[in-house]
Amino acid sequence: MAKARQAWGTRLGIIMAVAGSAIGLGNFLRFPVQAASNGGGAFMIPYFISLFLLGIPLMWIEWTLGRFGGGFGHGTAPGIFHTMWEKNRFIKYFGVIGIFGPLIILSYYTYIESWTLAYSVFALTGKYAGASTQEAMKAFLASYQGLGGGKIWPAYIFFIITFAANIGVIYYGIKGGIEKLCNIALPFLFIFGIVLMARVLTLGTPDMSKPTWNLANGLGFLWNPDFSALKSAKVWLAAAGQIFFTLSVGIGVILTYASYLKKGDDVVLSGLSAVGTNELAEVVIGGSIIIPAAFVFFGPVDIKAVAQSGAFNLGFVTMPLIFNKIFLGALFGFAWFFLLFLAGITSSISLAQPAVAFLEDEFDISRGKAVAIFGAASFLLCQPAIFFLGRGVVNELDFWGGTFCLVLFATVETILFAWVFGMEKAWEEIHHGADMRVPGVYKFIIKYVTPLFLILILGFWFFQEGVPTIMMKGIANADKPFVLGTRIFLMAIFAALAVMVKVAWKRKRDREALKR
Ligand code: PFF
């Protein structure tokens, strides 16, 4: 019947895999953009508060729940939630978010990841070297994306290569694919990151006619704390959202990875190590590349303007412009984009695994078959982000998959853990096989502070951003049909997954009945 589940090869292996999931485009592209558009130093205080009150607790909760569910043969939220609260017939449908959310993020993330592969090649071949102004570099990017008269096929080829690489890794499984890739990719990622950081930190003051555009001010832009930011709900929402996204928590991905642990494996120190590694990559390395570099070349006003003019402009426009100006820029450009590619692929495979695990665990099919079904379905899911990129579709997918689902899922999961499962039992479960005790104050934090904080965020967020987004404020009339279409598409995917859960559970019940 139930076949043996896969398992991680080593303890370091799962830490690397979780860190690989966490360290992604979010660390090097999203974090600087968020920080720059939320006032630099103003952003960092809510950021660290969110890390300690949301990020770290959720990381422990998900490692614990995943390991718990894996013990019952479930690697995704429908089964895990059902096991935790057997009397509730609906909770497994709520768990659908834990498969749906990652799929939706995957559907645009893989495409952006493929740009980084393309730009790594372009850096070495000198393809963007001719563009020397913001406008020219923006036009280069738009044309690559098939916008403004550009041809889409080169981007499509890079997408197919990236997509196939992801499927290949998943096909080789937890230990043979995911763990192996992360063990190799992460060290390279850190080497590239440190090289780039060292280059940026030695930039000094490239333009002597603008003496205030120097490195010290560039770093100060990010690090000088601005306590007045604590009064702005928008900054809190952005900071909490960044913590979720960068740590890959609140979406089901860590649950799945942790489900391949064994009962006695530590989760406390391992989870914390993964968080620490991610933060090192985000605030130390991620914080020392784009922002200071953009600051010394373009100044503080321009950084904000560029960051607000488009989520990818700092990474794909400003950075290549800078590489065009420095010695050995082609090599540094390659290091930058290939760093992004490695960061991206170790994250996108983690977004793919929940759906594959769901098929394997709940429908009892082989990995090969699960990967084939997943590959075909997710390939189709990726198409809207590619072909309707200029129509606001990616923003819409990111809003539902990358923001709304995260906060909602995290809230439910925390309440389930601390209140339905019960804090005493939860505390015991966390500490099974633990190499370190969680500081006692976290018993209070997980029970009261984290859920309360999450509910507040959910409420504020709903009124500040949710309502305007749902009403499609600020979306051009011509794009509205595309945004509406995306919503219908999302609802259809959710419904399809919910039906799959229903079918899977019905089959289980029928089988049980046969046995009796
Ligand atoms: N943490 C990844 C990043 O920072 O880019 C993105 C991500 C991966 C988010 C996996 C959510 C997830 F489940």
Side-chain angles (χ1 to χ4, degrees), residues 345-464:
I345 191 165
T346 52
S347 297
S348 52
I349 51 175
S350 77
L351 290 162
Q353 187 60 29
V356 174
F358 174 66
L359 293 172
E360 276 186 86
D361 295 337
E362 313 300 355
F363 289 89
D364 240 339
I365 57 177
S366 70
R367 182 162 80 220
K369 222 167 158 187
V371 173
I373 298 172
F374 168 79
S378 63
F379 186 78
L380 294 177
L381 291 186
C382 290
Q383 306 305 311
I386 302 176
F387 290 102
F388 304 129
L389 177 73
R391 296 300 195 154
V393 168
V394 168
N395 285 346
E396 191 66 16
L397 293 170
D398 184 49
F399 176 80
W400 295 107
T403 314
F404 177 71
C405 282
L406 298 189
V407 188
L408 185 64
F409 188 84
T411 310
V412 170
E413 155 185 87
T414 308
I415 293 174
L416 267 178
F417 186 71
W419 293 87
V420 176
F421 205 57
M423 201 56 221
E424 291 309 318
K425 212 168 133 198
W427 197 247
E428 210 185 292
E429 189 70 34
I430 293 184
H431 286 103
H432 260 301
D435 283 333
M436 177 193 135
R437 285 202 69 79
V438 176
V441 58
Y442 268 102
K443 202 166 173 177
F444 179 79
I445 294 180
I446 292 177
K447 187 161 178 185
Y448 299 103
V449 183
T450 311
L452 203 68
F453 195 0
L454 282 164
I455 291 171
L456 277 178
I457 290 181
L458 204 58
F460 264 104
W461 172 85
F462 188 74
F463 288 105
Q464 286 220 331

Side-chain angles (χ1 to χ4, degrees), residues 50 167 176 179 185 203 222 284 359 368 376 400 435 469 471 499 510:
S50 302
I167 297 291
E179 183 170 345
L203 282 172
L222 189 56
V284 180
L359 293 172
W400 295 107
D435 283 333
T469 307
M471 308 306 287
V499 170
D510 292 350

Side-chain angles (χ1 to χ4, degrees), residues 87-307:
K87 285 198 219 86
N88 189 313
R89 286 170 41 217
F90 295 102
I91 198 70
K92 57 181 178 291
Y93 295 106
F94 206 89
V96 167
I97 299 180
I99 304 161
F100 171 81
L103 268 181
I104 300 311
I105 301 180
L106 181 81
S107 78
Y108 60 89
Y109 199 91
T110 318
Y111 185 42
I112 300 164
E113 180 184 319
S114 75
W115 305 350
T116 67
L117 183 63
Y119 270 65
S120 314
V121 176
F122 297 166
L124 293 178
T125 55
K127 196 149 180 192
Y128 60 63
S132 59
T133 60
Q134 296 267 2
E135 283 61 44
M137 199 59 95
K138 269 189 195 162
F140 180 86
L141 177 62
S143 144
Y144 172 74
Q145 295 164 336
L147 305 171
K151 292 208 178 25
I152 189 102
W153 64 265
Y156 207 75
I157 292 175
F158 279 106
F159 166 72
I160 289 179
I161 298 172
T162 307
F163 185 84
N166 275 278
I167 297 291
V169 175
I170 298 289
Y171 177 76
Y172 282 100
I174 292 296
K175 185 172 142 201
I178 297 177
E179 183 170 345
K180 216 177 227 156
L181 173 77
C182 292
N183 276 334
I184 301 169
L186 241 54
F188 276 102
L189 185 157
F190 273 93
I191 294 172
F192 286 139
I194 290 167
V195 167
L196 284 159
M197 183 167 98
R199 179 67 272 250
V200 172
L201 295 182
T202 49
L203 282 172
T205 313
D207 184 352
M208 282 304 170
S209 69
K210 304 213 174 62
T212 56
W213 293 9
N214 60 33
L215 186 75
N217 286 337
L219 291 172
F221 177 76
L222 189 56
W223 291 107
N224 291 339
D226 171 1
F227 290 93
S228 69
L230 297 178
K231 288 189 293 222
S232 156
K234 174 179 161 272
V235 175
W236 280 94
L237 293 177
Q242 177 60 21
I243 285 294
F244 284 113
F245 192 84
T246 187
L247 290 175
S248 309
V249 294
I251 197 74
V253 159
I254 307 290
L255 290 177
T256 300
Y257 271 10
S259 75
Y260 300 102
L261 284 168
K262 294 184 203 84
K263 188 94 196 133
D265 286 342
D266 157 85
V267 301
V268 180
L269 186 59
S270 306
L272 201 60
S273 312
V275 171
T277 314
N278 181 68
E279 291 314 304
L280 180 70
E282 177 144 301
V283 298
V284 180
I285 303 180
S288 305
I289 303 177
I290 290 196
I291 295 220
F295 190 100
V296 301
F297 281 97
F298 299 98
V301 179
D302 228 35
I303 288 198
K304 268 186 224 150
V306 175

